[in-house]
């Protein structure tokens, strides 16, 4: 696996560190065996990579949302952590977004293919507000908050990211879930032209994830439309994604195209791929190892210790106070 951090040569030191990602290897293996899901077409030749578009003014059209990289005004919220914020280049350059490929730099290289305007989010299932929505229908851009959250991937690496967005509960309130809605499922766009990784059967596309309704309504659950004061770049899930800082990163759904309220626990992409390794809850838990590696500590990406820094992983990623009550009485080893 080759990493490219084109804008800062210091990140070259990451390359050797990144070659043995266990999670990646797992998916590579899937690819090598053709995947459990049947044959897919071979990745076509791709155009040369593009740089992020930088600060671009929001379009005049009122229903359009800011383009990737546009500056976003946000009020600082009272969510901060003492650890150093990850450098922006590392956040933008070291990504998991398998719809663009399985290497960490594929999303940054190929994300420009994803057109985020116009964008539609379809609401389905147990809701009194079914229909199609624009991003601005769901997210109040006059109420954007900046929240600095820890971000812990199941692969045992972490970042600290200043997200910009709104509480997920504010979006759900607009969508009027019925009393029968016990869960909410998020689905990523599936477009084989714009997302070359989906031409391969790495996962059972589209990417889906889900939460229990009380988890979704928790104060920490967030819909991000930006990070580092700018609208999200495609590689990070433009135009909108979930952020769930007490859970492993794969519980967050990038580039959401559908929100579905359900009475029963919804399917989730990684659970479908390997139920023994990726459970529905996937709360960060240093005491429950992944079957193939420990979750007791994590490698800090793009922090002040360079790229070899490690820190001990905290229960619920340090958010025990806000979320432990959601799981009272549950066996967290069984409900991994
Ligand atoms: N969402 C989609 N649609 N596809 C993905 O491959 N990867 C997940 C999650 N959401 C993924 C996704 C994983 S494993 C992680 S760690 C985070 O996105 C990574 O988010 P980041 O690249 O913005 O840090």
């Amino acid at each position: 696996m080759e990493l490219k951090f084109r804008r800062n040569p210091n990140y070259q030191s990451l390359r050797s560190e990144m070659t043995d990602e266990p999670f990646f290897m797992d998916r590579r293996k899937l690819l090598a065996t053709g995947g459990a899901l049947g044959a897919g077409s071979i990745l076509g030749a791709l155009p040369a990579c593009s740089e992020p578009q930088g600060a671009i003014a929001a379009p005049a059209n009122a229903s359009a949302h800011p383009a990737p990289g546009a500056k976003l005004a946000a009020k600082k919220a009272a969510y901060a952590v003492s650890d150093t914020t990850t450098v922006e280049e590392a956040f933008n350059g070291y990504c998991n977004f398998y719809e663009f490929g399985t290497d960490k730099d594929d999303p940054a290289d190929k994300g420009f293919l994803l057109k985020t305007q116009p964008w539609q989010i379809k609401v389905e299932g147990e809701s009194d507000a079914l229909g199609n929505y624009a991003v601005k229908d769901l997210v109040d851009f006059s109420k954007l908050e900046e929240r600095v959250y820890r971000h812990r991937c199941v692969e045992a690496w972490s970042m600290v990211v200043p997200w910009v967005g709104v509480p997920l509960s504010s979006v759900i309130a607009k969508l009027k879930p019925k009393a029968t809605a016990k869960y909410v499922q998020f689905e990523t766009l599936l477009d084989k032209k714009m997302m070359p990784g989906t031409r391969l059967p790495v996962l059972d596309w589209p990417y889906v994830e889900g939460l229990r309704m009380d988890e979704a309504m928790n104060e920490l659950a967030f819909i991000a439309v930006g990070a580092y004061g700018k609208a999200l770049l495609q590689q990070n899930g433009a135009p909108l994604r979930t952020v769930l800082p007490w859970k492993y990163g794969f519980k967050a759904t990038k580039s959401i195209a559908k929100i579905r309220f359900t009475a029963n626990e919804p399917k989730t992409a990684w659970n479908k791929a390997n139920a023994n390794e990726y459970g529905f809850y996937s709360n960060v838990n240093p005491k429950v190892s992944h079957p193939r590696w420990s979750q007791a500590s994590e490698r800090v990406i793009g922090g002040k210790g360079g790229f070899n820094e490690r820190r001990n992983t905290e229960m619920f990623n340090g958010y025990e106070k806000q979320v432990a009550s959601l799981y009272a009485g549950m066996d967290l080893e069984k409900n991994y």
Side-chain angles (χ1 to χ4, degrees):
M1 177 167 50
E2 268 284 88
L3 265 187
K4 294 177 202 128
F5 288 98
R6 287 169 233 93
R7 288 173 300 282
N8 188 334
N10 294 333
Y11 303 127
Q12 298 301 323
S13 59
L14 256 177
R15 287 167 181 262
S16 57
E17 280 287 293
M18 300 304 164
T19 46
D20 58 349
E21 289 292 344
F23 199 56
F24 169 77
M25 289 305 289
D26 185 35
R27 298 177 201 188
R28 243 299 137 82
K29 214 167 61 204
L30 245 165
L31 262 178
T33 57
L37 308 162
S41 63
I42 299 304
L43 206 71
L46 289 162
C49 59
S50 78
E51 291 294 306
Q53 290 133 320
I56 299 162
N61 176 352
S63 73
H65 55 271
K71 287 209 167 114
L72 290 180
K75 212 177 90 201
K76 290 210 185 313
Y79 294 92
V81 294
S82 52
D83 316 67
T84 309
T85 299
T86 302
V87 291
E88 194 177 344
E89 288 91 338
F91 173 70
N92 288 335
Y94 187 76
C95 301
N96 279 333
F97 199 168
Y98 275 34
E99 284 83 339
F100 294 98
T102 53
D103 280 358
K104 290 286 185 288
D105 55 354
D106 282 336
D109 280 349
K110 295 164 195 160
F112 74 98
L113 291 167
L114 178 66
K115 300 277 166 285
T116 60
Q117 285 172 325
W119 192 268
Q120 194 172 274
I121 302 116
K122 189 171 186 199
V123 173
E124 298 179 345
E126 306 293 307
S127 149
D128 287 325
L130 299 176
N132 294 313
Y133 294 84
V135 178
K136 282 203 164 176
D137 298 333
L138 302 188
V139 174
D140 186 343
F141 279 76
S142 70
K143 292 200 178 134
L144 294 180
E145 298 174 23
E146 181 177 83
R147 296 186 177 191
V148 182
Y149 277 162
R150 290 205 181 94
H151 173 40
R152 170 63 157 81
C153 181
V154 74
E155 296 165 337
W157 55 262
S158 68
M159 295 187 185
V160 173
V161 180
W163 302 102
V164 175
V166 294
L168 176 57
S169 61
S170 72
V171 174
I172 289 181
K174 291 181 204 280
L175 301 179
K176 301 192 173 70
K178 293 181 194 280
T180 45
K182 302 293 180 216
Y183 296 86
V184 55
Q185 188 188 42
F186 300 92
E187 186 174 308
T188 297
L189 182 76
L190 171 56
D191 184 308
K192 289 193 177 174
K193 272 201 199 122
M194 297 196 291
M195 299 168 137
T198 61
R199 296 175 209 160
L200 291 169
V202 182
L203 287 170
D204 181 13
W205 312 110
Y207 194 98
V208 281
E209 256 308 334
L211 295 170
R212 243 173 33 200
M213 277 302 271
D214 59 343
E215 297 182 296
M217 298 303 282
N218 183 272
E219 61 170 302
L220 293 179
F222 201 58
I223 286 278
V225 292
Y228 297 84
K230 293 168 216 154
L232 284 176
L233 300 179
Q234 288 93 329
Q235 60 260 42
N236 296 114
L240 80 171
R241 64 174 287 170
T242 49
V243 178
L244 310 159
W246 73 100
K247 291 182 177 285
Y248 291 120
F250 71 87
K251 289 296 292 179
T253 311
K254 291 180 165 182
S255 305
I256 297 168
K258 284 187 187 166
I259 300 177
R260 189 175 291 119
F261 295 98
T262 64
N264 300 313
E265 190 179 288
K267 296 272 182 216
T268 60
W270 279 103
N271 184 261
K272 279 195 275 179
N274 192 339
N276 288 334
E277 300 195 347
Y278 308 107
F280 178 77
Y281 285 96
S282 291
N283 294 313
V284 176
N285 188 341
K287 289 187 229 115
V288 176
S289 295
H290 185 279
R292 289 178 289 120
W293 61 88
S294 163
Q295 295 290 24
S297 71
E298 63 208 41
R299 189 158 40 87
V300 181
I301 304 288
K304 73 167 180 271
F307 301 96
N308 297 315
E309 185 185 339
R310 287 200 83 83
R311 74 189 293 282
N312 289 332
T313 294
E314 293 177 53
M315 188 63 203
F316 296 117
N317 207 19
Y319 297 101
E320 199 160 5
K321 204 173 99 207
Q322 292 93 337
V323 300
S325 63
L326 292 170
Y327 311 103
M330 277 173 68
D331 179 340
L332 296 178
E333 248 177 77
K334 270 199 199 140
N335 296 285
Y336 57 89

